[in-house]
Amino acid sequence: MTRRGIEWLSAAADDPVACRAVWTDDPRAPYMLPTGRFFDVVTVDERVGVETFDQLLRRGLPFGPTLLDHRARRVGFFLGSQSLKDFTHYLTREEGTPPAYRYLGRGSVVVVPGPMPMSGDRYEWLRAPTRRPMANPLRPVALATMLVAAAELLARVDRYGERYPSAASLARNAIERASTDAG
């Protein structure tokens, strides 16, 4: 995380000076920040969140800082504050079923990783803030779209896994198909 990222995150704290002091003493220390003033956060199950993160990254879609809570097994995506209306609007316009999510806006808090978490820490940045994120109206759209797409993809993978629980069953099925096609 950059110095400007630290400044932006700590400015969201109820006491920015205390937040920066904690991180100066221990840059690995997680810190609880209020949501709704500088940013909102959408959290989802880790499996859907990691797939969504990967899809957003690979497709070059706009998205902000993203965190992972290993113990709770959840991924949090930062959106601009007061994005709930846009996010839910685009989420409901998708054809698939949206995954379960929690929207953290005004009156909620989120625990963020310190500026330099290490491997094995409970909280980790998948994408740390490098500066104050620029307002981008496409972020809620991209996140809503990719959340639904990731959930649908994982549901399909699970159905495939039920149908072919092992490589051996997949091979048997292919051999049976080949023998009926040849006969």
Side-chain angles (χ1 to χ4, degrees):
M1 183 184 307
T2 65
R3 180 179 52 80
R4 288 179 21 200
I6 293 170
E7 289 170 2
W8 173 72
L9 262 184
S10 63
D14 290 331
D15 185 347
V17 174
C19 178
R20 284 190 293 276
V22 166
W23 285 339
T24 298
D25 289 343
D26 182 2
R28 292 176 61 189
Y31 202 86
M32 189 180 316
L33 297 175
T35 56
R37 189 173 38 178
F38 281 38
F39 52 80
D40 292 349
V41 178
V42 174
T43 70
V44 294
D45 175 72
E46 180 180 15
R47 190 167 174 238
V48 171
V50 169
E51 182 63 36
T52 300
F53 175 80
D54 183 52
Q55 293 296 328
L56 289 166
L57 191 63
R58 282 196 285 153
R59 296 177 190 290
L61 295 172
F63 69 105
T66 308
L67 63 86
L68 172 61
D69 179 340
H70 289 283
R71 190 172 307 145
R73 301 185 58 84
R74 297 196 62 83
V75 173
F77 295 90
F78 284 57
L79 291 175
S81 61
Q82 301 175 359
S83 294
L84 177 61
K85 184 178 175 184
D86 289 338
F87 174 73
T88 55
H89 170 75
Y90 290 107
L91 195 66
T92 58
R93 294 189 63 169
E94 288 300 312
E95 290 180 16
T97 304
Y101 67 92
R102 293 182 196 134
Y103 192 95
L104 306 175
R106 188 165 295 283
S108 297
V109 295
V110 64
V111 177
V112 299
M116 293 190 299
M118 296 184 71
S119 178
D121 287 350
R122 175 178 176 170
Y123 301 99
E124 174 186 349
W125 288 109
L126 295 178
R127 182 179 202 178
T130 55
R131 66 186 187 294
R132 178 183 180 175
M134 302 301 290
N136 187 333
L138 296 179
R139 264 195 206 133
V141 178
L143 180 59
T145 302
M146 284 300 111
L147 279 174
V148 173
E152 291 290 314
L153 174 66
L154 292 171
R156 186 170 183 190
V157 167
D158 290 345
R159 286 190 304 273
Y160 184 83
E162 290 168 5
R163 186 172 177 192
Y164 306 109
S166 69
S169 65
L170 179 62
R172 268 194 309 276
N173 188 285
I175 291 168
E176 287 171 7
R177 241 182 304 148
S179 66
T180 56
D181 289 346

